[in-house]
Amino acid sequence: LTLGAQEFEPEYWFDYGRLRDEGRDFTRHNVSAEYGITDHWMVDGRGTMEKVGGDGLNFDSGRLETRYRFCDEGTLPVDIAVSAEGNVERDAKGIDRYGFEPRLILSHDFQKLNLTLNLSEEIPFDSRRDAFNVSSGFRYDAAKYFSFGCELKDDVNNREAAVVPQVWFLLPHELTLKAGFSYGFDHNKEQFLRLVIEKGF
């Protein structure tokens, strides 16, 4: 969703999972925030720390994104938004890899059901090749305070994919609790549980 003007949403994500190919557990701490500049334009950022096995807590990644939605939701047959993201990720060798990711976001609401498609191109600032990413998902508002859905992610070039079933609980005081489980397949060997707490202002 694109936030309205002057809306602010901080989030904390906790991940607990396992690297199946290495047989090691990991945890991640993610802190993010979103801010609506206008009703159609917003910015967000996220920082992530990770602990793998017996290693200490280390920097994992950071992202800064700006997103713009064309028209109000439901005005067009398909809602259209575009975004641009700058990011840095630390690889297995401890090297920080910088990149830029433009993204096209298409979505449509069928009453309580939302369908969304994300198409993006990850452009690295070094010798690595570009990566085309596809993410699609649905969300169904089953009750006033409860929704469920699922997301499918696919890094086409690197053959890394994941399926992510999710649930949302709307709590008092503009709090939202989210829970999901990501299972990687093909070359993606991660599986993890994610818990998210979000506060709206």
Side-chain angles (χ1 to χ4, degrees), residues 3 8-11 31-35 42-47 64:
L3 298 186
F8 177 63
E9 288 188 356
E11 296 183 7
V31 177
S32 72
E34 300 179 340
Y35 179 74
M42 61 173 284
V43 294
D44 68 87
R46 173 166 58 89
L64 184 63

Side-chain angles (χ1 to χ4, degrees), residues 72-92:
D72 293 330
E73 291 182 359
T75 302
L76 301 174
V78 176
D79 294 322
I80 303 172
V82 293
S83 76
E85 175 186 284
N87 53 60
V88 55
E89 294 187 1
R90 184 160 294 174
D91 67 13

